Amino acid sequence: DARGVTRALLQDPDGAIHDFDVSLKLKPDDTLALMSRGSAWDQKGDYPRAIADYDLAVKAAPTNPLILLNRGVTFANMGDYAHALADDEAAITMAPQFSGGYSSRCLTRATWGKDLDNAVADCDQALRMNARNFVDYVSRALARYKMGQNDAAIADATTALKMSPNAPTALLIKG
């Protein structure tokens, strides 16, 4: 699994998939390998295979919110925001103390452009739990921009850029 994760981080999804295939032959219900291979399929743009792996991982570990959050990212990448939001909400129900669920739900709502007041509230909650996540500032900036709250959007984008000077969405919103 470690080599597959390393290959995925090095932007080698084909190598990662190969390594996870080998791992899954030895242990077919390895949730880390299933989730990681799903991420590699997502990285390649093969969303149906990514969803299939995440579904198997959910079956093997139905109480793991990280699997749902990763599957939600793939749904969002497909433009299926309703399913992405459902996975975000299920993850929050499983682990309300985990900021990642609120972060993901904020980003899903902001990207979708629906329920933007609650997107901002989700980012606020995530930032109360982890104020150092620049992605939450970017997501909140996007929601505020779509709401026409330009000054607040610029402030959030500026904060995000202090943490990550090359964050493309923050640069776009600030511009």
Side-chain angles (χ1 to χ4, degrees), residues 42-43 47 72-81 84:
D42 180 88
Q43 193 176 19
Y47 303 130
V73 167
T74 298
F75 279 130
N77 288 340
M78 296 168 56
D80 186 348
Y81 298 109

Side-chain angles (χ1 to χ4, degrees), residues 87-107:
D87 277 350
D88 295 339
E89 290 174 351
I92 290 169
T93 298
M94 281 182 201
Q97 74 289 355
F98 177 55
S99 66
Y102 300 99
S103 296
S104 186
R105 189 167 66 181
C106 173
L107 180 58

Side-chain angles (χ1 to χ4, degrees), residues 25-161:
K25 283 181 184 171
L26 299 172
K27 189 176 176 194
D29 63 343
D30 181 344
T31 56
L32 176 61
L34 287 166
M35 185 172 64
S36 298
R37 188 174 68 179
S39 282
W41 285 122
D42 180 88
Q43 193 176 19
K44 283 183 58 103
D46 192 334
Y47 303 130
R49 283 184 172 169
I51 295 297
D53 275 348
Y54 290 133
D55 288 347
L56 290 171
V58 167
K59 270 187 179 175
T63 60
N64 185 333
L66 291 176
I67 299 167
L68 294 173
L69 293 176
N70 280 299
R71 186 174 67 180
V73 167
T74 298
F75 279 130
N77 288 340
M78 296 168 56
D80 186 348
Y81 298 109
H83 278 104
L85 188 60
D87 277 350
D88 295 339
E89 290 174 351
I92 290 169
T93 298
M94 281 182 201
Q97 74 289 355
F98 177 55
S99 66
Y102 300 99
S103 296
S104 186
R105 189 167 66 181
C106 173
L107 180 58
T108 298
R109 287 175 166 160
T111 305
W112 194 5
K114 290 193 175 187
D115 202 11
L116 295 172
D117 286 328
N118 281 324
V120 170
D122 283 336
C123 278
D124 289 346
Q125 177 62 25
L127 287 165
R128 279 191 293 276
M129 298 168 90
N130 178 11
R132 300 299 309 154
N133 187 353
F134 80 92
V135 173
D136 293 328
Y137 288 101
V138 174
S139 298
R140 190 169 69 180
L142 178 61
R144 287 177 165 168
Y145 171 76
K146 288 184 176 184
M147 295 168 75
Q149 299 174 356
N150 295 333
D151 290 340
I154 289 168
D156 279 341
T158 300
T159 300
L161 289 167

